Amino acid sequence: MRENILKLPAHLRRQRIVSAEQVAMAMAGIYECTYLSQFNHQYDPETSNIISSYFRVILHAVKEEGLQTIRVGTDYNGKLSSAEFYADDIWPWALNELSYPDSWYGIDHPPTQNVIEPETSACWGDFSGKDTALLMIASLATALEKTGGKYTRSNKLNKSAVISTAIKAVNDYGNGTDLTDRALRRLIDNALAQYLPKLEE
């Protein structure tokens, strides 16, 4: 199983609901503040920029990628400005973002060789049973959507919730996985487009 690189202190681990500000700061290694305004931006401008970058990534994921939220807030222009999440939904997402093999997401030293490891890619070659596997992926994703709740968003499949549940199940009951949210999203997209195209309309 992948090491949890988010070194969350006890007070954060015990929280059931977490704000986007707290997640952004935790992704940058700052755990002692609850609000961005509590961080000394002038004393440590570099870390402040990192926090701001992660905060924008989180809000973008909420707006454009269907990241599951409990509630969101907007500024006076109607622009998304805050969000709150269930801890079980947001921390696996944050861990995947930090683990993504790209320096933007926190890897200090990029790999010396550009090697794409097979287990981190959702691009499948041809193999026996591939069509059946894709059909099962599409069918199970649809079955989750029909249960409603967090698996739907604007009357459509909430792929982020499906991915989060799948990763949590593999980590809790299997051997863990290094697949990123993006890789699994591509896999689900391909399965749905090939076998259940009407669902995407």
Side-chain angles (χ1 to χ4, degrees):
M1 185 181 297
R2 178 178 49 206
E3 179 187 5
N4 189 341
I5 57 179
L6 283 169
K7 306 298 183 183
L8 299 179
H11 75 278
L12 271 180
R13 290 200 306 271
R14 297 297 297 167
Q15 282 190 229
R16 274 58 167 180
I17 296 175
V18 189
S19 72
E21 293 184 5
Q22 288 176 297
V23 176
M25 288 187 286
M27 291 173 75
I30 303 299
Y31 306 111
E32 62 271 19
C33 300
T34 302
Y35 305 102
L36 292 177
S37 59
Q38 294 174 326
F39 181 75
N40 191 330
H41 301 275
Q42 293 182 339
Y43 176 76
D44 191 350
E46 181 177 355
T47 300
S48 176
N49 287 335
I50 294 172
I51 293 171
S52 296
S53 294
Y54 284 136
F55 186 69
R56 289 193 297 271
V57 168
I58 294 166
L59 294 187
H60 181 272
V62 170
K63 183 178 179 181
E64 302 294 340
E65 300 175 10
L67 180 59
Q68 182 73 18
T69 63
I70 302 172
R71 63 185 66 90
V72 298
T74 57
D75 60 19
Y76 61 92
N77 289 321
K79 184 178 179 181
L80 182 66
S81 60
S82 64
E84 290 184 336
F85 313 86
Y86 286 117
D88 286 346
D89 290 330
I90 192 61
W91 292 129
W93 176 90
L95 180 59
N96 279 322
E97 287 293 299
L98 288 170
S99 302
Y100 191 73
D102 185 307
S103 58
W104 176 259
Y105 293 106
I107 304 299
D108 292 328
H109 304 289
T112 54
Q113 295 180 341
N114 295 323
V115 178
I116 300 177
E117 299 180 0
E119 65 271 19
T120 63
S121 173
C123 299
W124 287 355
D126 291 327
F127 61 90
S128 178
K130 173 184 176 182
D131 290 341
T132 302
L134 287 172
L135 177 59
M136 289 299 296
I137 290 170
S139 300
L140 291 171
T142 305
L144 284 175
E145 178 195 20
K146 299 306 179 186
T147 66
K150 69 178 182 179
Y151 298 112
T152 58
R153 185 182 182 89
S154 301
N155 296 321
K156 290 187 177 181
L157 175 67
N158 184 348
K159 295 172 187 174
S160 291
V162 172
I163 290 167
S164 176
T165 298
I167 290 175
K168 187 176 188 304
V170 172
N171 287 337
D172 288 350
Y173 305 109
N175 296 322
T177 178
D178 288 326
L179 279 171
T180 64
D181 281 12
R182 286 179 177 81
L184 287 173
R185 180 180 291 274
R186 286 195 298 268
L187 192 58
I188 291 175
D189 286 342
N190 291 339
L192 292 175
Q194 187 169 345
Y195 291 99
L196 296 173
K198 292 183 179 179
L199 190 67
E200 295 289 270
E201 293 178 353

